[in-house]
Amino acid sequence: MRGRYQTSPNHMMLNINLWSTLWLGMAILWTGELWEFLSFTDRYPSILYNILLFGLTSALGQTFIFMTVVYFGPLTCSIVTTTRKFFTILGSVLLFGNVITSVQWVGTVLVFLGLGLDAKFGKVPKKTTH
Protein backbone atom coordinates (compact mmCIF):
# COMPACT_ATOMS: atom_id res chain seq x y z
CA MET A 1 0.00 0.00 0.00
CA ARG A 2 2.84 2.33 0.87
CA GLY A 3 4.62 1.70 -2.43
CA ARG A 4 1.54 1.77 -4.61
CA TYR A 5 -0.32 4.79 -3.22
CA GLN A 6 2.50 6.82 -1.57
CA THR A 7 0.44 7.38 1.56
CA SER A 8 1.72 9.70 4.26
CA PRO A 9 1.94 8.58 7.90
CA ASN A 10 -0.75 11.07 8.93
CA HIS A 11 -3.09 9.94 6.15
CA MET A 12 -2.69 6.29 7.17
CA MET A 13 -3.23 7.12 10.82
CA LEU A 14 -6.28 9.26 10.12
CA ASN A 15 -8.01 6.60 8.04
CA ILE A 16 -7.28 3.78 10.47
CA ASN A 17 -8.52 5.88 13.39
CA LEU A 18 -11.67 6.96 11.52
CA TRP A 19 -12.60 3.36 10.72
CA SER A 20 -11.77 2.26 14.27
CA THR A 21 -13.93 5.05 15.68
CA LEU A 22 -16.81 4.08 13.41
CA TRP A 23 -16.74 0.37 14.28
CA LEU A 24 -16.05 0.83 17.99
CA GLY A 25 -18.66 3.59 18.21
CA MET A 26 -21.27 1.23 16.80
CA ALA A 27 -20.14 -1.53 19.17
CA ILE A 28 -20.27 0.68 22.28
CA LEU A 29 -23.78 1.82 21.34
CA TRP A 30 -24.98 -1.70 20.57
CA THR A 31 -23.65 -3.19 23.80
CA GLY A 32 -24.89 -0.30 25.95
CA GLU A 33 -21.46 0.33 27.42
CA LEU A 34 -21.62 4.01 26.50
CA TRP A 35 -24.10 4.66 29.31
CA GLU A 36 -21.95 2.73 31.80
CA PHE A 37 -18.94 4.83 30.76
CA LEU A 38 -20.87 8.09 31.17
CA SER A 39 -22.07 6.95 34.58
CA PHE A 40 -18.49 6.09 35.58
CA THR A 41 -17.17 9.48 34.47
CA ASP A 42 -20.00 11.15 36.38
CA ARG A 43 -18.92 9.35 39.57
CA TYR A 44 -15.17 9.86 38.96
CA PRO A 45 -14.69 13.05 36.89
CA SER A 46 -10.93 13.07 37.52
CA ILE A 47 -10.63 10.09 35.14
CA LEU A 48 -11.24 12.41 32.19
CA TYR A 49 -7.78 13.98 32.65
CA ASN A 50 -6.18 10.53 32.61
CA ILE A 51 -8.15 9.52 29.52
CA LEU A 52 -7.12 12.71 27.73
CA LEU A 53 -3.47 12.25 28.70
CA PHE A 54 -3.55 8.62 27.58
CA GLY A 55 -5.13 9.63 24.25
CA LEU A 56 -2.50 12.29 23.58
CA THR A 57 0.45 10.04 24.40
CA SER A 58 -1.07 7.20 22.38
CA ALA A 59 -1.51 9.50 19.37
CA LEU A 60 2.11 10.63 19.66
CA GLY A 61 3.34 7.04 19.83
CA GLN A 62 1.10 6.01 16.95
CA THR A 63 2.49 8.89 14.87
CA PHE A 64 6.03 7.57 15.35
CA ILE A 65 4.92 4.04 14.43
CA PHE A 66 3.28 5.19 11.18
CA MET A 67 6.26 7.39 10.33
CA THR A 68 8.55 4.39 10.83
CA VAL A 69 6.40 2.23 8.53
CA VAL A 70 6.20 4.87 5.80
CA TYR A 71 9.83 6.03 5.85
CA PHE A 72 11.68 2.85 6.83
CA GLY A 73 9.29 -0.01 6.05
CA PRO A 74 7.33 -2.56 8.04
CA LEU A 75 10.34 -4.76 8.87
CA THR A 76 12.18 -1.90 10.56
CA CYS A 77 8.99 -0.98 12.41
CA SER A 78 8.56 -4.56 13.68
CA ILE A 79 12.20 -4.64 14.82
CA VAL A 80 11.82 -1.31 16.65
CA THR A 81 8.55 -2.24 18.35
CA THR A 82 9.73 -5.73 19.29
CA THR A 83 12.98 -4.34 20.69
CA ARG A 84 11.01 -1.79 22.69
CA LYS A 85 8.79 -4.56 24.08
CA PHE A 86 11.85 -6.60 25.01
CA PHE A 87 13.37 -3.71 26.95
CA THR A 88 10.02 -3.15 28.67
CA ILE A 89 10.02 -6.79 29.78
CA LEU A 90 13.67 -6.59 30.82
CA GLY A 91 12.97 -3.44 32.82
CA SER A 92 10.01 -5.16 34.44
CA VAL A 93 12.25 -8.05 35.48
CA LEU A 94 15.13 -5.89 36.72
CA LEU A 95 13.22 -3.00 38.28
CA PHE A 96 10.10 -4.69 39.64
CA GLY A 97 11.35 -8.24 40.21
CA ASN A 98 8.83 -9.92 37.92
CA VAL A 99 9.82 -13.48 37.11
CA ILE A 100 10.16 -14.88 33.58
CA THR A 101 10.29 -18.63 33.11
CA SER A 102 12.93 -20.36 31.06
CA VAL A 103 10.35 -21.16 28.37
CA GLN A 104 9.52 -17.45 28.10
CA TRP A 105 13.24 -16.63 27.76
CA VAL A 106 13.52 -19.25 24.98
CA GLY A 107 10.56 -17.63 23.23
CA THR A 108 12.16 -14.20 23.56
CA VAL A 109 15.43 -15.46 22.08
CA LEU A 110 13.57 -17.14 19.20
CA VAL A 111 11.68 -13.93 18.39
CA PHE A 112 14.88 -11.88 18.23
CA LEU A 113 16.71 -14.59 16.35
CA GLY A 114 13.90 -14.66 13.78
CA LEU A 115 13.88 -10.88 13.44
CA GLY A 116 17.64 -10.77 13.09
CA LEU A 117 17.70 -13.50 10.46
CA ASP A 118 14.84 -11.85 8.57
CA ALA A 119 16.63 -8.50 8.65
CA LYS A 120 19.86 -10.07 7.39
CA PHE A 121 18.57 -12.60 4.86
CA GLY A 122 14.90 -11.68 4.29
CA LYS A 123 15.35 -9.31 1.39
CA VAL A 124 17.27 -10.73 -1.52
CA PRO A 125 18.55 -8.03 -3.87
CA LYS A 126 16.85 -8.11 -7.25
CA LYS A 127 19.05 -9.24 -10.10
CA THR A 128 19.28 -6.81 -12.95
CA THR A 129 19.44 -8.05 -16.50
CA HIS A 130 21.57 -6.25 -19.01
Side-chain angles (χ1 to χ4, degrees), residues 8-119:
S8 72
N10 293 329
H11 187 256
M12 287 173 61
M13 191 168 112
L14 174 69
N15 283 302
I16 286 176
N17 286 333
L18 284 176
W19 280 104
S20 296
T21 301
L22 176 70
W23 283 104
L24 294 174
M26 289 189 309
I28 199 171
L29 287 172
W30 186 52
T31 61
E33 290 183 39
L34 175 64
W35 314 120
E36 291 179 41
F37 170 73
L38 292 175
S39 173
F40 183 83
T41 57
D42 190 42
R43 287 190 312 266
Y44 306 101
S46 62
I47 194 71
L48 293 173
Y49 171 76
N50 292 330
I51 291 171
L52 179 65
L53 187 61
F54 178 73
L56 289 173
T57 55
S58 295
L60 183 63
Q62 194 178 45
T63 300
F64 283 110
I65 289 170
F66 280 102
M67 287 175 65
T68 304
V69 169
V70 168
Y71 297 122
F72 300 104
L75 177 61
T76 302
C77 184
S78 68
I79 290 171
V80 168
T81 56
T82 305
T83 303
R84 179 195 59 81
K85 289 174 188 174
F86 172 73
F87 283 111
T88 301
I89 293 168
L90 187 62
S92 174
V93 170
L94 296 176
L95 298 174
F96 301 112
N98 292 322
V99 179
I100 293 188
T101 66
S102 57
V103 173
Q104 290 170 323
W105 279 115
V106 168
T108 302
V109 168
L110 287 175
V111 166
F112 278 93
L113 184 65
L115 280 173
L117 291 172
D118 191 31

